[in-house]
Tab-separated table of all heavy atoms in Angstrom:
chain	number	residue	atom	x	y	z
A	231	ASN	N	83.633	58.078	93.951
A	231	ASN	CA	84.642	57.429	94.766
A	231	ASN	C	84.727	58.015	96.170
A	231	ASN	O	84.873	57.333	97.135
A	231	ASN	CB	85.987	57.488	94.059
A	231	ASN	CG	86.051	56.574	92.853
A	231	ASN	OD1	85.338	55.587	92.755
A	231	ASN	ND2	86.915	56.917	91.888
A	232	ASN	N	84.675	59.352	96.207
A	232	ASN	CA	84.726	60.027	97.549
A	232	ASN	C	83.530	59.637	98.402
A	232	ASN	O	83.645	59.400	99.613
A	232	ASN	CB	84.754	61.541	97.349
A	232	ASN	CG	86.122	62.026	96.946
A	232	ASN	OD1	87.135	61.317	97.080
A	232	ASN	ND2	86.185	63.275	96.480
A	233	ASN	N	82.349	59.548	97.769
A	233	ASN	CA	81.154	59.163	98.488
A	233	ASN	C	81.272	57.744	98.994
A	233	ASN	O	80.831	57.435	100.123
A	233	ASN	CB	79.908	59.319	97.593
A	233	ASN	CG	79.294	60.680	97.714
A	233	ASN	OD1	78.531	60.947	98.615
A	233	ASN	ND2	79.627	61.543	96.793
A	234	TYR	N	81.842	56.904	98.198
A	234	TYR	CA	82.006	55.499	98.602
A	234	TYR	C	82.879	55.391	99.830
A	234	TYR	O	82.577	54.683	100.775
A	234	TYR	CB	82.571	54.710	97.442
A	234	TYR	CG	82.852	53.250	97.760
A	234	TYR	CD1	81.821	52.342	97.905
A	234	TYR	CD2	84.174	52.803	97.965
A	234	TYR	CE1	82.070	51.004	98.198
A	234	TYR	CE2	84.421	51.474	98.264
A	234	TYR	CZ	83.366	50.569	98.371
A	234	TYR	OH	83.610	49.247	98.686
A	235	ARG	N	83.994	56.127	99.821
A	235	ARG	CA	84.904	56.093	100.982
A	235	ARG	C	84.236	56.693	102.217
A	235	ARG	O	84.403	56.189	103.336
A	235	ARG	CB	86.188	56.843	100.650
A	235	ARG	CG	87.128	56.110	99.677
A	235	ARG	CD	88.483	56.741	99.644
A	235	ARG	NE	88.445	58.092	99.057
A	235	ARG	CZ	88.597	58.364	97.799
A	235	ARG	NH1	88.791	57.354	96.904
A	235	ARG	NH2	88.540	59.587	97.332
A	236	GLN	N	83.468	57.749	102.007
A	236	GLN	CA	82.768	58.379	103.142
A	236	GLN	C	81.738	57.401	103.745
A	236	GLN	O	81.611	57.322	104.989
A	236	GLN	CB	82.052	59.650	102.676
A	236	GLN	CG	82.983	60.827	102.471
A	236	GLN	CD	82.218	62.051	102.031
A	236	GLN	OE1	80.993	62.071	101.988
A	236	GLN	NE2	82.957	63.104	101.642
A	237	GLN	N	81.012	56.714	102.888
A	237	GLN	CA	80.001	55.781	103.410
A	237	GLN	C	80.621	54.650	104.230
A	237	GLN	O	80.102	54.227	105.247
A	237	GLN	CB	79.183	55.177	102.232
A	237	GLN	CG	78.359	56.170	101.464
A	237	GLN	CD	77.360	56.919	102.370
A	237	GLN	OE1	76.803	56.330	103.285
A	237	GLN	NE2	77.149	58.209	102.124
A	238	LEU	N	81.789	54.156	103.758
A	238	LEU	CA	82.506	53.120	104.536
A	238	LEU	C	82.903	53.649	105.908
A	238	LEU	O	82.703	53.005	106.940
A	238	LEU	CB	83.738	52.642	103.783
A	238	LEU	CG	83.501	51.732	102.573
A	238	LEU	CD1	84.822	51.397	101.898
A	238	LEU	CD2	82.811	50.438	103.005
A	239	PHE	N	83.455	54.857	105.954
A	239	PHE	CA	83.865	55.455	107.204
A	239	PHE	C	82.685	55.713	108.098
A	239	PHE	O	82.727	55.374	109.309
A	239	PHE	CB	84.629	56.769	106.905
A	239	PHE	CG	84.956	57.560	108.114
A	239	PHE	CD1	85.916	57.128	108.999
A	239	PHE	CD2	84.307	58.762	108.391
A	239	PHE	CE1	86.230	57.876	110.163
A	239	PHE	CE2	84.598	59.507	109.513
A	239	PHE	CZ	85.552	59.071	110.414
A	240	LEU	N	81.655	56.292	107.556
A	240	LEU	CA	80.468	56.613	108.385
A	240	LEU	C	79.730	55.347	108.830
A	240	LEU	O	79.221	55.280	109.950
A	240	LEU	CB	79.519	57.536	107.601
A	240	LEU	CG	80.054	58.930	107.305
A	240	LEU	CD1	79.052	59.648	106.436
A	240	LEU	CD2	80.324	59.709	108.584
A	241	GLY	N	79.692	54.325	107.979
A	241	GLY	CA	79.054	53.089	108.359
A	241	GLY	C	79.739	52.441	109.527
A	241	GLY	O	79.104	51.948	110.460
A	242	LEU	N	81.089	52.440	109.479
A	242	LEU	CA	81.861	51.889	110.597
A	242	LEU	C	81.631	52.707	111.879
A	242	LEU	O	81.434	52.163	112.962
A	242	LEU	CB	83.365	51.885	110.238
A	242	LEU	CG	84.314	51.390	111.307
A	242	LEU	CD1	84.026	49.905	111.645
A	242	LEU	CD2	85.762	51.554	110.851
A	243	PHE	N	81.651	54.052	111.727
A	243	PHE	CA	81.495	54.941	112.865
A	243	PHE	C	80.122	54.754	113.507
A	243	PHE	O	80.033	54.494	114.709
A	243	PHE	CB	81.695	56.384	112.425
A	243	PHE	CG	81.393	57.408	113.488
A	243	PHE	CD1	82.271	57.562	114.561
A	243	PHE	CD2	80.272	58.177	113.420
A	243	PHE	CE1	82.002	58.493	115.563
A	243	PHE	CE2	79.992	59.135	114.404
A	243	PHE	CZ	80.871	59.288	115.470
A	244	TYR	N	79.022	54.873	112.748
A	244	TYR	CA	77.713	54.771	113.332
A	244	TYR	C	77.393	53.339	113.760
A	244	TYR	O	76.697	53.146	114.771
A	244	TYR	CB	76.652	55.231	112.314
A	244	TYR	CG	76.617	56.736	112.142
A	244	TYR	CD1	77.089	57.325	110.950
A	244	TYR	CD2	76.158	57.562	113.131
A	244	TYR	CE1	77.080	58.691	110.776
A	244	TYR	CE2	76.156	58.950	112.988
A	244	TYR	CZ	76.609	59.517	111.781
A	244	TYR	OH	76.594	60.881	111.644
A	245	GLY	N	77.924	52.376	113.054
A	245	GLY	CA	77.712	50.951	113.497
A	245	GLY	C	78.308	50.741	114.863
A	245	GLY	O	77.699	50.060	115.705
A	246	LEU	N	79.511	51.286	115.066
A	246	LEU	CA	80.158	51.140	116.390
A	246	LEU	C	79.334	51.791	117.514
A	246	LEU	O	79.153	51.216	118.580
A	246	LEU	CB	81.563	51.782	116.332
A	246	LEU	CG	82.389	51.785	117.579
A	246	LEU	CD1	82.729	50.365	118.035
A	246	LEU	CD2	83.684	52.589	117.404
A	247	LEU	N	78.796	52.999	117.180
A	247	LEU	CA	78.034	53.712	118.215
A	247	LEU	C	76.746	52.947	118.565
A	247	LEU	O	76.393	52.782	119.725
A	247	LEU	CB	77.664	55.099	117.716
A	247	LEU	CG	78.821	56.119	117.549
A	247	LEU	CD1	78.310	57.447	117.156
A	247	LEU	CD2	79.618	56.240	118.836
A	248	PHE	N	76.007	52.540	117.537
A	248	PHE	CA	74.735	51.855	117.801
A	248	PHE	C	74.951	50.513	118.485
A	248	PHE	O	74.199	50.133	119.371
A	248	PHE	CB	73.960	51.660	116.489
A	248	PHE	CG	73.206	52.882	116.057
A	248	PHE	CD1	73.707	53.705	115.050
A	248	PHE	CD2	72.020	53.240	116.650
A	248	PHE	CE1	73.021	54.819	114.663
A	248	PHE	CE2	71.318	54.373	116.284
A	248	PHE	CZ	71.835	55.189	115.274
A	249	LEU	N	75.986	49.787	118.102
A	249	LEU	CA	76.291	48.523	118.753
A	249	LEU	C	76.582	48.733	120.227
A	249	LEU	O	76.038	48.048	121.095
A	249	LEU	CB	77.461	47.841	118.034
A	249	LEU	CG	77.912	46.495	118.605
A	249	LEU	CD1	76.766	45.480	118.510
A	249	LEU	CD2	79.155	45.991	117.922
A	250	ALA	N	77.465	49.714	120.530
A	250	ALA	CA	77.804	49.977	121.922
A	250	ALA	C	76.583	50.455	122.700
A	250	ALA	O	76.334	50.006	123.846
A	250	ALA	CB	78.902	51.047	121.986
A	251	GLY	N	75.790	51.311	122.110
A	251	GLY	CA	74.600	51.833	122.775
A	251	GLY	C	73.626	50.726	123.153
A	251	GLY	O	73.156	50.628	124.295
A	252	PHE	N	73.293	49.851	122.199
A	252	PHE	CA	72.339	48.786	122.468
A	252	PHE	C	72.885	47.781	123.469
A	252	PHE	O	72.175	47.328	124.351
A	252	PHE	CB	72.011	48.042	121.166
A	252	PHE	CG	70.982	48.760	120.316
A	252	PHE	CD1	71.305	49.224	119.052
A	252	PHE	CD2	69.701	49.019	120.797
A	252	PHE	CE1	70.401	49.898	118.258
A	252	PHE	CE2	68.791	49.662	120.039
A	252	PHE	CZ	69.103	50.104	118.755
A	253	ILE	N	74.181	47.488	123.369
A	253	ILE	CA	74.780	46.505	124.287
A	253	ILE	C	74.675	47.007	125.740
A	253	ILE	O	74.207	46.266	126.656
A	253	ILE	CB	76.241	46.196	123.930
A	253	ILE	CG1	76.296	45.383	122.649
A	253	ILE	CG2	76.966	45.511	125.075
A	253	ILE	CD1	77.715	45.126	122.164
A	254	TYR	N	75.031	48.252	125.985
A	254	TYR	CA	75.110	48.728	127.361
A	254	TYR	C	73.722	49.076	127.906
A	254	TYR	O	73.484	48.985	129.112
A	254	TYR	CB	76.096	49.844	127.500
A	254	TYR	CG	77.497	49.336	127.306
A	254	TYR	CD1	78.199	49.499	126.106
A	254	TYR	CD2	78.075	48.555	128.271
A	254	TYR	CE1	79.470	48.984	125.945
A	254	TYR	CE2	79.362	48.027	128.106
A	254	TYR	CZ	80.039	48.233	126.929
A	254	TYR	OH	81.284	47.692	126.745
A	255	LEU	N	72.778	49.431	127.051
A	255	LEU	CA	71.419	49.564	127.565
A	255	LEU	C	70.845	48.206	127.934
A	255	LEU	O	70.094	48.070	128.905
A	255	LEU	CB	70.545	50.251	126.484
A	255	LEU	CG	70.751	51.747	126.312
A	255	LEU	CD1	69.788	52.294	125.248
A	255	LEU	CD2	70.529	52.502	127.632
A	256	SER	N	71.201	47.168	127.178
A	256	SER	CA	70.735	45.821	127.548
A	256	SER	C	71.384	45.386	128.845
A	256	SER	O	70.729	44.692	129.644
A	256	SER	CB	71.087	44.842	126.398
A	256	SER	OG	72.453	44.644	126.263
A	257	PHE	N	72.619	45.755	129.061
A	257	PHE	CA	73.284	45.445	130.344
A	257	PHE	C	72.540	46.143	131.492
A	257	PHE	O	72.414	45.567	132.571
A	257	PHE	CB	74.753	45.887	130.341
A	257	PHE	CG	75.649	44.977	129.566
A	257	PHE	CD1	76.837	45.451	129.032
A	257	PHE	CD2	75.341	43.658	129.410
A	257	PHE	CE1	77.665	44.636	128.299
A	257	PHE	CE2	76.182	42.799	128.704
A	257	PHE	CZ	77.345	43.303	128.149
A	258	TYR	N	72.077	47.351	131.255
A	258	TYR	CA	71.364	48.083	132.308
A	258	TYR	C	70.082	47.350	132.682
A	258	TYR	O	69.725	47.293	133.831
A	258	TYR	CB	71.062	49.502	131.881
A	258	TYR	CG	70.127	50.190	132.861
A	258	TYR	CD1	70.562	50.602	134.122
A	258	TYR	CD2	68.787	50.379	132.532
A	258	TYR	CE1	69.701	51.176	135.050
A	258	TYR	CE2	67.923	50.981	133.427
A	258	TYR	CZ	68.351	51.379	134.666
A	258	TYR	OH	67.512	51.966	135.571
A	259	THR	N	69.355	46.849	131.662
A	259	THR	CA	68.080	46.153	131.939
A	259	THR	C	68.277	44.950	132.873
A	259	THR	O	67.355	44.569	133.612
A	259	THR	CB	67.409	45.720	130.647
A	259	THR	OG1	68.279	44.808	129.933
A	259	THR	CG2	67.106	46.901	129.765
A	260	SER	N	69.462	44.336	132.800
A	260	SER	CA	69.668	43.155	133.626
A	260	SER	C	70.430	43.482	134.932
A	260	SER	O	70.150	42.854	135.964
A	260	SER	CB	70.456	42.095	132.863
A	260	SER	OG	71.699	42.604	132.401
A	261	LEU	N	71.347	44.485	134.882
A	261	LEU	CA	72.164	44.749	136.036
A	261	LEU	C	71.648	45.926	136.865
A	261	LEU	O	72.016	46.081	138.025
A	261	LEU	CB	73.596	45.052	135.629
A	261	LEU	CG	74.312	43.898	134.897
A	261	LEU	CD1	75.697	44.342	134.435
A	261	LEU	CD2	74.465	42.685	135.811
A	262	LYS	N	70.848	46.839	136.234
A	262	LYS	CA	70.292	47.991	136.919
A	262	LYS	C	71.358	48.907	137.456
A	262	LYS	O	71.134	49.642	138.445
A	262	LYS	CB	69.347	47.568	138.056
A	262	LYS	CG	68.206	46.669	137.633
A	262	LYS	CD	67.372	47.291	136.529
A	262	LYS	CE	66.223	46.408	136.107
A	262	LYS	NZ	65.467	46.957	134.972
A	263	ASN	N	72.542	48.944	136.841
A	263	ASN	CA	73.585	49.878	137.225
A	263	ASN	C	73.463	51.123	136.306
A	263	ASN	O	73.548	50.995	135.099
A	263	ASN	CB	74.960	49.194	137.047
A	263	ASN	CG	76.104	50.087	137.555
A	263	ASN	OD1	76.344	51.145	137.038
A	263	ASN	ND2	76.814	49.579	138.559
A	264	LYS	N	73.305	52.271	136.942
A	264	LYS	CA	73.012	53.487	136.142
A	264	LYS	C	74.161	53.914	135.249
A	264	LYS	O	73.932	54.661	134.278
A	264	LYS	CB	72.637	54.610	137.085
A	264	LYS	CG	71.237	54.435	137.702
A	264	LYS	CD	70.828	55.665	138.462
A	264	LYS	CE	69.384	55.508	138.988
A	264	LYS	NZ	68.931	56.716	139.731
A	265	ALA	N	75.399	53.499	135.538
A	265	ALA	CA	76.485	53.807	134.649
A	265	ALA	C	76.215	53.262	133.239
A	265	ALA	O	76.514	53.919	132.220
A	265	ALA	CB	77.794	53.236	135.186
A	266	PHE	N	75.653	52.044	133.149
A	266	PHE	CA	75.295	51.483	131.840
A	266	PHE	C	74.184	52.285	131.154
A	266	PHE	O	74.210	52.465	129.955
A	266	PHE	CB	74.890	49.998	132.014
A	266	PHE	CG	76.014	49.136	132.456
A	266	PHE	CD1	76.065	48.707	133.758
A	266	PHE	CD2	76.970	48.727	131.588
A	266	PHE	CE1	77.093	47.879	134.201
A	266	PHE	CE2	78.017	47.891	132.005
A	266	PHE	CZ	78.049	47.456	133.331
A	267	LEU	N	73.201	52.717	131.945
A	267	LEU	CA	72.087	53.493	131.359
A	267	LEU	C	72.585	54.777	130.753
A	267	LEU	O	72.312	55.121	129.610
A	267	LEU	CB	71.041	53.756	132.433
A	267	LEU	CG	69.907	54.703	132.078
A	267	LEU	CD1	69.062	54.065	130.961
A	267	LEU	CD2	69.066	55.049	133.278
Side-chain angles (χ1 to χ4, degrees):
N231 288 334
N232 283 346
N233 269 278
Y234 177 73
R235 288 192 294 269
Q236 285 180 6
Q237 294 303 322
L238 287 177
F239 172 70
L240 293 176
L242 178 63
F243 174 72
Y244 286 109
L246 177 65
L247 292 183
F248 279 102
L249 180 62
F252 280 118
I253 287 176
Y254 290 104
L255 284 181
S256 67
F257 283 154
Y258 170 73
T259 59
S260 58
L261 299 175
K262 302 304 179 185
N263 186 297
K264 287 189 176 180
F266 293 103
L267 173 66

